[in-house]
Amino acid sequence: MQTTSHSFKRPKADLSILELLALQFPNADAAIAETARLAAVQTLPKGVVHVISDIHGEDKKLQHVINNASGTLRPLVEDMFAGSMSPTELEEFLKLTFYPAEVTKRVGETLTQPDEIRSYALQMLMPQLELLRYLVSNFSLRLATNLFPAEYQELLLEMMHAPSTERGPEFIGAILDELVRRDRALHLVHLLGRLIRNLAVDELIIAGDLWDRGPRGDRVMDYLCLQPNVEFIWGNHDVLWLAASLGHEAALCTVLRVSLRYRRIGQLDEGYSVPLTPLEHLARTVYADDPATYFMPKGQGMRPNEIVARMQKAAAIMQFKLEGQMIERNPHWELGHRRLMHRINHQEGTIEIDGQTYELRDTFFPTVDPDNPYHLSEEESACLARLKHSFLNSQKLQEQMRFMVGHGSMYLKRDECLIYHGCVPVDEEGNFLPITIDQKPVSGRAMFEEIETVVRRAVVNSEQADLDFLWYLWSGPRSPLFGKDRIATLERDFIADKRPHHESKNTYFSLIHETDFCDKVLREFGMEPEDGLIVNGHVPVKVEAGESPLKRSGKAITIDGAFSEAYGDYGYTLVLETDRIVLAQHSHFESVEAAIRDGVDIIPQVQNIRVYNSPRRTGDTERGQRIGFRIEMLERLIEAYRENRLHERPVVAKT
């Protein structure tokens, strides 16, 4: 007779939790077997973690860096097969490993005869299976097989045991014959290639700034959403786009302005179905006679440069007006000095900033009322209403933002690394600076965790105060995602004198060269200072100028390697391996087509950051801590069964 595991004779509060666990492990033996399995998993090599920051819309380069596992797959393949493959065969196998979908599609168009397809599939499947066995050996079998394509999971498990004494060539041959007959042989090769890539990296962490500068932030997110285990640490560009997606008008205008400046229009109209027609209409009517000389976009496109420049200027003026309104309704930010529109002297053609008067190089303000400079004109209001409707109703944009927030946080701890995007705001003496959230000042770790609460609340409720706070995270002086005293957009656009263009960095960025300060930050976040390493992006490392990503303290590293072509076209991946921490520096990536056609690859320069005396195991990591907590719960479940506080049930065998 089938029974439940509940015991109503002696109910206790802790049994409610154990009853849920008992649904998965219905008797003591099932629980004991699981504790034994988990204890063994703790001894396995820790999973390889890759950390990439500041992608800034470079979708094709990111795709290749993920596909070649930040350069770690090539040396593994070469070590395993250099003795059994010719250089040509090795190159073809690497192409397949990096781009299984594209390569198998090309092969399918080239090879038409069943015997040719069978021969190619056999040639590729055997090394694929050997590589798969090696990668799976570093995982628990349950975790690895969870990544197997569901329809082929059992078949792949069978194939992994071949060849063997009992399973000769005819075993794989029979499988291939059936797959070729059903036109699925190349499909299996494709799936195995994708599986190998997925197993090469246990966890992918994106340390902020997915959008802006590069061409297609939407495609960056498309590809990241396909990864089996990805986590996001939010950057200031990410929260800007999040605020825009939720209808925050100042953020929305900023997103438009930056996209137009770098002529990254495709991600809006094609990627997110946000037509720029309303803004173009404003540019062609209200700004029709404006030369907009200082707003010319970077790069070329279908729209004339003059039109794009006027569109950018129109978005910028709306941004400055809306920011002024927002600063006025948030006096606790103490940003009154950054309300600049009313400081323009239209008769003199000057502006006053921080007590200094500067000449304006552009004095054409057709939508600005000098008596009410923060008021949107009728034309601007109509334009903004239509654009806001498009942002709010873009299904793809909304889905991507919810994915980013749902898989994201302000900081992560992995191994000995404390990872966040920007900084921990401090004063000149290194004391943590507070910001006010929900009427209370918070600083340090508490600031990061309270920000997470506001971000998630903003997605659910979209209250004005929370959306305004997302904008503050984008460019506020005490935002840990920004870390500067101002963002001098208006100054750079309208003032030739470079003095007011300067943006001062928070003291954090100089103090991380000092060991004592790094130790203080690590302790604040619950890390052991002796072995801890602070990892942040946000500030591009000037590679060409000889700047080092590793700070003088040896306890902090910046992994913003100017991934975007607009910043320098390099890029870093921090790779947390079992026996070392490695920084891989990426160079320019030509194209996916060149990678498939010519085998073009990004072979990174590798620098050891930390080398460990003995390999780290799963039990040494955050995953190991979670496993330890699970073992404790299972031991409580076993005790409950033995004390008859819960009734045991038989395990139902799978059929």
Side-chain angles (χ1 to χ4, degrees):
M1 178 181 295
Q2 191 77 359
T3 64
T4 70
S5 61
H6 299 94
S7 173
F8 297 101
K9 293 185 290 185
R10 293 183 295 277
K12 291 185 178 180
D14 68 321
L15 286 183
S16 297
I17 298 174
L18 296 180
E19 284 164 358
L20 293 174
L21 194 58
L23 296 175
Q24 189 176 1
F25 305 102
N27 56 49
D29 277 333
I32 290 169
E34 179 66 3
T35 58
R37 187 189 74 83
L38 291 175
V41 168
Q42 296 281 56
T43 71
L44 291 174
K46 69 166 288 293
V48 178
V49 179
H50 286 211
V51 189
I52 307 175
S53 186
D54 296 86
I55 296 159
H56 285 296
E58 294 291 345
D59 58 300
K60 292 181 180 178
K61 187 173 183 178
L62 173 70
Q63 183 178 352
H64 190 75
V65 168
I66 291 177
N67 288 356
N68 75 358
S70 298
T72 61
L73 261 177
R74 175 179 283 273
L76 174 61
V77 169
E78 290 174 343
D79 287 347
M80 291 183 68
F81 303 114
S84 58
M85 291 184 184
S86 70
T88 300
E89 290 171 334
L90 195 63
E91 200 59 46
E92 286 302 312
F93 185 69
L94 282 166
K95 291 180 191 177
L96 173 68
T97 303
F98 297 161
Y99 291 97
E102 293 83 355
V103 169
T104 53
K105 179 182 179 183
R106 186 194 64 180
V107 169
E109 293 168 349
T110 306
L111 305 180
T112 57
Q113 299 302 312
D115 287 349
E116 293 177 323
I117 294 173
R118 187 185 190 280
S119 176
Y120 175 84
L122 183 62
Q123 179 186 359
M124 295 300 171
L125 275 173
M126 299 314 292
Q128 279 185 320
L129 287 170
E130 186 175 343
L131 186 53
L132 180 63
R133 291 186 201 101
Y134 172 81
L135 292 171
V136 167
S137 68
N138 294 307
F139 286 79
S140 73
L141 189 59
R142 180 181 297 173
L143 184 60
T145 53
N146 282 341
L147 299 178
F148 284 25
E151 298 86 352
Y152 289 85
Q153 185 181 92
E154 292 191 13
L155 178 64
L156 288 175
L157 288 171
E158 296 279 3
M159 294 176 73
M160 284 177 63
H161 293 286
S164 63
T165 304
E166 293 78 15
R167 301 183 185 209
E170 65 277 4
F171 182 84
I172 296 292
I175 291 172
L176 268 181
D177 288 341
E178 183 62 18
L179 292 175
V180 170
R181 187 170 74 87
R182 301 288 186 179
D183 193 27
R184 303 309 279 168
L186 293 180
H187 180 61
L188 183 62
V189 171
H190 165 209
L191 292 179
L192 263 173
R194 191 169 67 191
L195 177 59
I196 286 167
R197 274 190 349 220
N198 290 344
L199 287 168
V201 179
D202 181 39
E203 183 180 27
L204 175 63
I205 296 174
I206 307 299
D209 284 1
L210 301 165
W211 286 270
D212 296 329
R213 305 315 196 275
R216 296 299 294 263
D218 62 307
R219 289 179 178 169
V220 166
M221 276 300 296
D222 280 342
Y223 206 64
L224 291 174
C225 289
L226 296 175
Q227 305 314 306
N229 189 13
V230 62
E231 289 287 332
F232 299 95
I233 295 169
W234 306 316
N236 61 322
H237 289 264
D238 306 323
V239 294
L240 175 70
W241 275 79
L242 175 62
S245 76
L246 297 172
H248 189 266
E249 295 175 346
L252 188 155
C253 288
T254 306
V255 162
L256 291 170
R257 177 185 59 78
V258 175
S259 297
L260 289 160
R261 176 176 176 79
Y262 291 90
R263 206 186 261 280
R264 304 313 193 185
I265 301 171
Q267 66 183 348
L268 289 168
D269 53 17
E270 181 186 338
Y272 291 128
S273 301
V274 175
L276 298 185
T277 310
L279 192 57
E280 184 171 355
H281 176 73
L282 186 65
R284 289 184 181 275
T285 55
V286 177
Y287 289 85
D289 300 325
D290 191 345
T293 305
Y294 304 104
F295 292 86
M296 288 298 164
K298 300 177 184 294
Q300 300 296 319
M302 295 182 64
R303 286 184 174 93
N305 279 350
E306 292 77 13
I307 294 299
V308 177
R310 291 166 189 157
M311 293 168 68
Q312 185 196 157
K313 182 177 177 180
I317 295 300
M318 288 193 290
Q319 173 192 328
F320 302 147
K321 289 181 178 183
L322 292 162
E323 287 178 348
Q325 295 176 21
M326 178 177 47
I327 291 170
E328 187 175 29
R329 65 177 176 258
N330 290 280
H332 59 284
W333 291 348
E334 299 180 352
L335 288 178
H337 62 291
R338 297 303 299 158
R339 296 179 76 240
L340 301 177
M341 295 300 288
H342 70 284
R343 300 175 187 272
I344 296 174
N345 185 323
H346 291 267
Q347 291 181 335
E348 299 293 333
T350 60
I351 185 171
E352 184 258 317
I353 298 175
D354 296 336
Q356 298 293 319
T357 300
Y358 300 93
E359 182 179 352
L360 294 171
R361 63 182 180 182
D362 183 340
T363 58
F364 187 70
F365 298 104
T367 67
V368 178
D369 177 1
D371 295 326
N372 194 2
Y374 299 102
H375 176 71
L376 294 182
S377 70
E378 184 178 344
E379 295 88 349
E380 287 175 326
S381 295
C383 169
L384 185 59
R386 292 176 62 186
L387 290 166
K388 184 175 178 178
H389 179 270
S390 296
F391 271 82
L392 288 171
N393 288 278
S394 170
Q395 181 178 348
K396 183 174 182 178
L397 180 60
Q398 300 301 323
E399 289 174 351
Q400 289 189 351
M401 291 299 159
R402 279 162 174 75
F403 186 87
M404 180 190 73
V405 172
H407 290 76
S409 54
M410 284 292 295
Y411 73 96
L412 287 173
K413 295 188 283 188
R414 289 294 182 270
D415 304 340
E416 285 84 23
C417 293
L418 170 63
I419 311 166
Y420 44 74
H421 176 69
C423 68
V424 183
V426 293
D427 63 16
E428 295 296 324
E429 286 72 42
N431 301 308
F432 299 130
L433 285 171
I435 57 175
T436 299
I437 301 178
D438 293 337
Q439 289 78 54
K440 64 179 180 180
V442 286
S443 61
R445 178 177 180 176
M447 174 196 291
F448 281 62
E449 293 176 352
E450 287 298 318
I451 287 172
E452 289 189 13
T453 299
V454 176
V455 170
R456 292 190 164 86
R457 189 173 67 203
V459 172
V460 175
N461 299 326
S462 296
E463 296 290 343
Q464 185 68 62
D466 290 342
L467 298 185
D468 284 353
F469 185 71
L470 294 183
W471 177 90
Y472 185 89
L473 291 175
W474 149 249
S475 59
R478 293 192 181 185
S479 165
L481 304 183
F482 183 58
K484 290 189 285 188
D485 67 331
R486 68 189 62 197
I487 185 166
T489 304
L490 186 147
E491 292 91 329
R492 289 192 298 268
D493 286 347
F494 286 94
I495 303 173
D497 189 330
K498 294 186 181 300
R499 286 177 297 168
H501 299 188
H502 182 69
E503 301 168 348
S504 298
K505 293 179 185 177
N506 185 266
T507 311
Y508 166 91
F509 294 103
S510 59
L511 289 177
I512 55 173
H513 290 283
E514 300 180 9
T515 300
D516 289 346
F517 177 74
C518 292
D519 288 348
K520 177 180 178 179
V521 173
L522 290 164
R523 281 192 294 268
E524 172 70 10
F525 285 83
M527 305 283 288
E528 290 294 333
E530 182 178 352
D531 299 316
L533 179 67
I534 296 170
V535 180
N536 69 267
H538 187 54
V539 180
V541 177
K542 298 175 182 177
V543 177
E544 293 178 324
E547 185 178 335
S548 172
L550 186 65
K551 307 310 172 187
R552 292 190 301 273
S553 62
K555 311 199 77 171
I557 187 169
T558 297
I559 60 168
D560 180 355
F563 201 95
S564 170
E565 188 174 1
Y567 278 147
D569 204 11
Y570 289 96
Y572 292 126
T573 300
L574 192 70
V575 184
L576 313 183
E577 298 180 339
T578 58
D579 57 351
R580 62 179 185 164
I581 297 176
V582 175
L583 186 70
Q585 179 183 315
H586 311 298
S587 56
H588 170 72
F589 177 60
E590 185 174 340
S591 68
V592 174
E593 294 74 20
I596 297 170
R597 183 185 66 246
D598 305 322
V600 173
D601 191 10
I602 301 177
I603 301 176
Q605 299 179 31
V606 174
Q607 174 186 356
N608 285 338
I609 303 301
R610 297 276 177 86
V611 178
Y612 297 95
N613 294 328
S614 59
R616 289 169 294 169
R617 302 294 173 180
T618 298
D620 302 323
T621 67
E622 290 76 18
R623 177 179 289 167
Q625 291 176 353
R626 291 196 296 272
I627 289 174
F629 295 144
R630 189 168 178 82
I631 289 173
E632 290 177 12
M633 291 301 299
L634 285 165
E635 288 174 345
R636 289 173 58 188
L637 179 64
I638 294 166
E639 182 182 1
Y641 283 138
R642 288 178 169 169
E643 293 176 353
N644 200 32
R645 292 192 295 137
L646 288 178
H647 297 314
E648 296 185 77
R649 296 177 291 116
V651 175
V652 178
K654 294 181 180 179
T655 58

